[in-house]
Amino acid sequence: MFAGQAVRAEAFAETQDETRSELLPLYREAVTLVERLHRRLLDVVKDEFDRRGRDDVNAVQALLLFNIGDSELTAAELRTRGYYLGANVSYNLKKLVEMGYLDHRRSRIDRRSVRIRLTEKGEAVRDVVEALHAKHIATIEQIGGIGPQEFQQLNKALNRLERFWTDQILYRL
């Protein structure tokens, strides 16, 4: 290696170290915010149901019903969408069926598989979460200071982070 190349390589290594030390606190803050935002979303949903005098479902179950929406699907399909962990979704689906929020039936194609869909009672819960989203959309730019451009940047960054973490698992990086 020539002397000039060695100097450039050393400068590049120093720049890399500076970038890493700058990224570390930002990365940790982002991870903490993602965790905290999920918990806060559950708090917001719970608060909305409390305001309506409803204690029949918890926030996790309400979001589960919202995410099922008009679809008819299996628990495995919910898990592969990335919303829920196996035991968590199975427990909550069982409870929601028992409470009459979900209808379930064996698949005609694969008799081992159970397909679920919302009942009228489940649709009412979904509608509460939908109304909550509509209320937020009406005020988030004025009160929260978050407009379309900020959401585009946020969503782009979060999608990249998700893809990065997925690659870490898939390709054992």
Side-chain angles (χ1 to χ4, degrees):
M1 184 183 297
F2 295 111
Q5 288 176 321
V7 169
R8 283 193 298 271
E10 190 174 305
F12 178 77
E14 286 177 19
T15 302
Q16 290 292 89
D17 288 344
E18 288 173 19
T19 300
R20 284 188 189 116
S21 64
E22 183 182 340
L23 271 176
L24 181 62
L26 296 170
Y27 176 80
R28 288 183 176 159
E29 181 181 11
V31 170
T32 300
L33 282 170
V34 167
E35 292 177 288
R36 193 170 39 200
L37 284 170
H38 177 67
R39 287 191 303 271
R40 185 66 62 214
L41 173 63
L42 293 174
D43 292 343
V44 167
V45 171
K46 180 188 180 308
D47 181 65
E48 182 66 19
F49 278 81
D50 289 347
R51 289 173 192 228
R52 292 171 180 249
R54 294 193 63 169
D55 61 358
D56 48 335
V57 294
N58 64 39
V60 170
Q61 292 166 338
L63 287 175
L64 181 62
L65 293 169
F66 175 78
N67 287 320
I68 292 169
D70 293 329
S71 301
E72 182 176 300
L73 37 79
T74 66
E77 289 169 326
L78 274 173
R79 284 190 297 272
T80 56
R81 287 181 183 185
Y83 294 133
Y84 306 97
L85 301 175
N88 184 11
V89 74
S90 297
Y91 170 80
N92 281 304
L93 290 176
K94 181 181 175 198
K95 297 301 278 182
L96 290 166
V97 167
E98 289 171 2
M99 295 187 300
Y101 293 95
L102 288 174
D103 182 32
H104 71 293
R105 65 185 107 168
R106 294 261 169 230
S107 170
R108 290 171 293 166
I109 298 165
D110 180 357
R111 300 301 296 165
R112 298 167 298 170
S113 177
V114 175
R115 303 205 56 83
I116 56 169
R117 64 181 179 87
L118 301 183
T119 63
E120 282 186 35
K121 206 172 164 183
E123 289 171 355
V125 170
R126 181 208 49 213
D127 292 346
V128 169
V129 177
E130 183 67 42
L132 177 63
H133 285 188
K135 181 173 81 173
H136 290 168
I137 293 305
T139 59
I140 197 161
E141 193 165 12
Q142 297 81 8
I143 296 172
I146 307 169
Q149 290 179 334
E150 289 86 5
F151 273 114
Q152 287 172 347
Q153 290 174 317
L154 175 65
N155 293 344
K156 186 176 183 179
L158 289 172
N159 277 311
R160 286 179 174 171
L161 182 59
E162 179 186 23
R163 195 169 37 246
F164 174 77
W165 283 345
T166 299
D167 288 350
Q168 297 301 300
I169 296 165
L170 291 176
Y171 305 114
R172 297 180 180 223
L173 300 175

